[in-house]
Amino acid sequence: MIPPLFLGLGMPEIIVILLVILLLFGGKKIPELMRGAGKGVRAFKDGMKETTTDEDAEKDTKE
């Protein structure tokens, strides 16, 4: 038995969702959507790094 991947969705459900996305946006738009999502994830990670760096700097100044 394969465990559910995300939010209780199995592989068949994920495949159906991906097919619906492909039908809605078409093959040409998907790379643009993924590029935008990648930029968003990168910006989020950079923001998390800055927050961690700021917290470390505050700890150093308090000591």
Side-chain angles (χ1 to χ4, degrees):
M1 176 87 182
I2 299 173
L5 298 175
F6 181 70
L7 296 176
L9 296 176
M11 189 57 70
E13 290 88 1
I14 292 174
I15 291 172
V16 169
I17 291 169
L18 291 174
L19 287 174
V20 169
I21 290 172
L22 181 63
L23 289 172
L24 287 175
F25 295 106
K28 294 182 181 180
K29 279 289 211 186
I30 291 177
E32 293 175 25
L33 292 171
M34 293 298 108
R35 201 170 299 121
K39 287 180 182 178
V41 168
R42 189 176 309 120
F44 179 76
K45 285 183 179 181
D46 290 343
M48 292 300 293
K49 280 183 187 176
E50 288 178 15
T51 303
T52 306
T53 305
D54 291 343
E55 288 175 359
D56 291 342
E58 286 180 23
K59 287 180 184 177
D60 290 341
T61 58
K62 287 182 181 179
E63 292 177 356

